[in-house]
Amino acid sequence: MTMTPRRGPVVRIFAGSRRLASRLAALPNRASTAKYKLRSGALPAGRHAPLADPRTSKRQTLARLGFYVPAVLYLAVFFGYPLAANVVMSFQDYTVTSFYDGGAPFNGLANYAAVLGDELFSTTLWNTVVFTVASLAFQFAIGLGLALFFRRHFPLSGVLRALLLLPWLLPLLVSGTVFRWLLDQDYGVVNHLLLNLGLIDDPVPWLVSPDHAMAAVVIANVWIGIPFNMVILYGGLTSISPQLYEAAALDGAGAWQRFRHLTWPLLRPVTSVVLMLGLVYTIKAFDVVMVLTQAGPADATQLLSTWSYQLSFTQLHFGQGAAVGNVLIVIAMLFALVYLRAVRREQAGR
Amino acid sequence: MSTPHPRAGARRWALTGLALLIVGVLLFPLYWMFNASLQPSHELLSIPPRWFPTDPTLDGYRAAFDSQGRHLVISLFVACGNVVITLALAAPLAWALAKFRLRFAALLLFVLLIVQMLPGIVKANSLFQLYSEIGLLNNTIGLMLAQSTLSVPFAAVLLRAQLREIPAEVVEAAALDGAGAWRTFLRIVVPMSRNSVITAGLFAFLFSWADFLFAVTLTSRDAITPVTVGIYRFVGANATDWNALMASAVLASVPAAVLLVVAQRYISVGLTGGSVKD
């Protein structure tokens, strides 16, 4: 995955300048001394000593600033500002008239009171939990199964594994639209197959019944998430040394024992990464639900993200939408921090 | 190495057969989309369903081009713009993070990781207010900038990990030769790390192409709506014209399919590179 530093391409790039190439070849393998000299700005005075001239050195400082200052400003405007504005807005009575007269009086905790007091709050929170946990459980289990399967070497395994990435690359909106067609009550192929197999007696109203809509959006979301889980877990599996398996096989360990006592413990760091990333991304899912059920019917698939959207952009209560958004941020950030800690632990363990 | 036992070879091909079956089941939804995109609408409403487009028609694609053609062009334009914005911001930042020994590099990296987890709806909510004040609503540049929030942090983290691998000797040699920081970066660093720059650009394109949340909140005028919102509105308005709808879905999937074929090796790098610290 990572680029290995090699001399070959370096020298090739400099092929135009023979002088440089020879100088490069003359450099020690780890040119640490030169590096420190460069850093302190005390370059040995030679024909090219750009740092010696104070004006040039000032220009170089400016040039270096040019690398990261625009990006930092960008981060401030497109991440810092929205975050701050969202917090401020959640304490304001921001409605559609605010856009015309610019007035949005502060109303204290009224937005939070309205949102938390709404009976929809517990519904959306519960829906978000169910959607996230169910999606992750199935994505992970199926992804792990596929990763284990594709680790065995057989003809065309690489090509077939690559093909499985396709669902992950499609726009979520496209996948959602396709599942609308697959899960159509009357003409959908899923109901047709289930009826023919005798698993159901009547067509399931997947998208129009409050009892089935959550299952429908989870099914679609699991399908979308399988490739991501499979690829990362596959990467984790390939980094486990085959010699360990050979040793275990010599000791007479069966397939299940090898998985239980070898694969599973060694895969744990990767497992935690894939689950945490999945969690953080699933918790803010929006597109799939919007296109499949529009968060309905009767709020059966209303998630925190879709509710925030509807409060702001359908009911034009931007303050309340912001308040729900902040609840979502707190949950997402909580898990994000857990995730980053898990990653750091993994790094420390390596 | 000895030649594999013939029976072992047969067993390996049996695994291939099983893998084909798995791929067939998992990619069936995509086949079903393609199948429906070629069948006349009335045939799609027949029971049992037709498993193959025995009497194919391109009517769906005609209707899709009529209703979505413009949206596809807008998506293409916005996605390309996002690639430019993303690379222009993220690549120099990644280089600075990789080699400049900035005091706040660790903090900045942490910020880049954490902001990727910021829910999109929060950004949309406040960018909507900001854009309505500065007149960037219903503006393709505004949409590009909003979508770039999906790809800039991702690309910066991904590129930083790759650029760190560039040997210090290269940079030093260029500096000794009198090349400035930007010249070194553009002439040496970027060409050397061509692959990861391509990966970052590809993902910026895909994120932008697939974006729905910013598109649906920040654009309302049909004339500048990208294809995700075009399809979304089409679903709402023509819920039973599955032929045209699936044809539109196929058209909107083309970039992903093309990228998978031409750039598969870049994709597996990008899958995790931007969100996991190395």
Side-chain angles (χ1 to χ4, degrees), chain A residues 71-211:
Chain A
V72 170
L73 289 177
Y74 167 87
L75 288 175
V77 173
F78 284 93
F79 291 99
Y81 170 80
L83 202 56
N86 206 63
V87 172
V88 173
M89 214 187 298
S90 71
F91 296 109
Q92 281 179 310
D93 188 16
Y94 211 116
T95 57
V96 70
T97 55
S98 308
F99 290 104
Y100 300 110
D101 56 23
F106 282 93
N107 60 357
L109 292 171
N111 290 324
Y112 288 94
V115 164
L116 297 177
D118 197 318
E119 59 184 23
L120 255 182
F121 181 74
S122 54
T123 312
T124 42
L125 195 60
W126 175 242
N127 285 346
T128 308
V129 170
V130 170
F131 176 77
T132 307
V133 171
S135 294
L136 284 184
F138 287 106
Q139 283 172 8
F140 178 80
I142 299 171
L144 179 60
L146 289 174
L148 287 167
F149 176 75
F150 276 97
R151 192 186 45 175
R152 309 171 68 163
H153 294 286
F154 52 83
L156 298 179
S157 63
V159 178
L160 293 172
R161 198 158 41 83
L163 272 178
L164 286 182
L165 278 179
L166 201 50
W168 183 74
L169 292 172
L170 291 189
L172 293 175
L173 206 100
V174 167
S175 313
T177 310
V178 172
F179 270 87
R180 251 180 101 120
W181 168 228
L182 291 167
L183 295 173
D184 187 81
Q185 184 177 356
D186 299 321
Y187 306 108
V189 71
V190 171
N191 273 347
H192 174 77
L193 287 175
L194 291 176
L195 281 168
N196 274 17
L197 291 171
L199 293 173
I200 51 172
D201 297 323
D202 300 299
V204 179
W206 290 107
L207 302 172
V208 287
S209 135
D211 300 331

Side-chain angles (χ1 to χ4, degrees), chain A residues 1-3 5 7 10 13-14 19-20 23-24 27-31 34-35 38-39 43 48 50 60 63-64 66-68 70-72 74-75 78-79 81-83 85-86 89 94 99 146 149-150 152-156 160 162-171 173-174 177-182 184 186-187 189 192-193 223 226 228 231-232 273 277 280-281 284 286-287 290-291 294 305 308-309 312-313 318 321-322 325 328-329 332-333 336-337 339-340 347, chain B residues 11-13 15-16 18-20 22-23 26-30 32-33 36 44-49 51 89 92-93 95-96 100-102 104 108 110 112-133 145 148-149 152-153 162 165 167-170 172-173 175-178 180-182 185 188 192 203 206 209-210 212-213 216-217 228 231-232 235 242 245-246 249 252-253 256-257 260 264 267-269 271-272 275-278:
Chain A
M1 295 260 285
T2 48
M3 240 177 86
R7 264 294 158 73
V10 175
I13 283 172
F14 286 103
R19 185 169 45 84
L20 248 174
R23 188 180 292 168
L24 195 74
L27 275 169
N29 222 350
R30 293 253 171 269
K35 190 157 55 192
L38 267 180
R39 259 191 86 209
L43 206 76
H48 305 281
Q60 290 220 337
R64 278 164 61 101
F67 278 83
Y68 55 87
V72 170
Y74 167 87
L75 288 175
F78 284 93
F79 291 99
Y81 170 80
L83 202 56
N86 206 63
M89 214 187 298
Y94 211 116
F99 290 104
L146 289 174
F149 176 75
F150 276 97
R152 309 171 68 163
H153 294 286
F154 52 83
L156 298 179
L160 293 172
L163 272 178
L164 286 182
L165 278 179
L166 201 50
W168 183 74
L169 292 172
L170 291 189
L173 206 100
V174 167
T177 310
V178 172
F179 270 87
R180 251 180 101 120
W181 168 228
L182 291 167
D184 187 81
D186 299 321
Y187 306 108
V189 71
H192 174 77
L193 287 175
W223 183 77
I226 288 172
F228 175 77
V231 169
I232 299 189
V273 165
L277 270 185
V280 168
Y281 290 120
K284 57 182 191 184
F286 176 81
D287 304 17
M290 283 304 283
V291 72
Q294 288 84 54
S305 59
S308 172
Y309 168 79
S312 284
F313 293 97
F318 287 95
L328 195 57
I329 291 183
M333 288 299 141
L337 289 176
Y339 160 70
L340 288 176
Q347 279 179 318
Chain B
R11 244 190 67 191
R12 279 160 24 119
W13 279 101
L15 285 177
T16 304
L18 188 56
L20 275 170
I22 292 172
V23 171
L26 278 174
L27 295 191
F28 176 77
L30 300 180
W32 207 238
M33 161 177 81
L44 291 174
L45 302 186
S46 65
I47 300 169
W51 298 94
L89 284 167
L93 174 66
W95 181 238
F100 281 11
R101 296 160 193 259
L102 303 173
F104 49 87
L108 205 50
F110 177 75
L112 287 170
L113 285 168
I114 207 95
V115 293
Q116 291 185 57
M117 294 157 185
L118 200 62
I121 183 64
V122 171
K123 285 185 279 177
N125 205 16
S126 19
L127 283 181
F128 182 80
Q129 326 297 327
L130 179 68
Y131 279 15
S132 76
E133 269 168 47
L145 284 167
S148 73
T149 61
V152 167
Q162 302 290 313
E165 306 291 330
E169 292 94 320
V170 179
E172 284 152 16
L176 283 172
D177 206 34
W182 279 97
F185 175 70
I188 295 159
M192 273 186 77
F203 274 84
L206 275 185
W209 182 268
F212 169 66
L213 181 54
V216 79
T217 49
T228 46
I231 290 180
Y232 180 68
V235 176
W242 290 110
L245 204 50
M246 289 301 116
S253 317
L260 188 67
Q264 198 250 317
I267 286 166
S268 46
V269 175
L271 192 63
T272 52
S275 39
V276 186
K277 269 211 280 190
D278 59 315

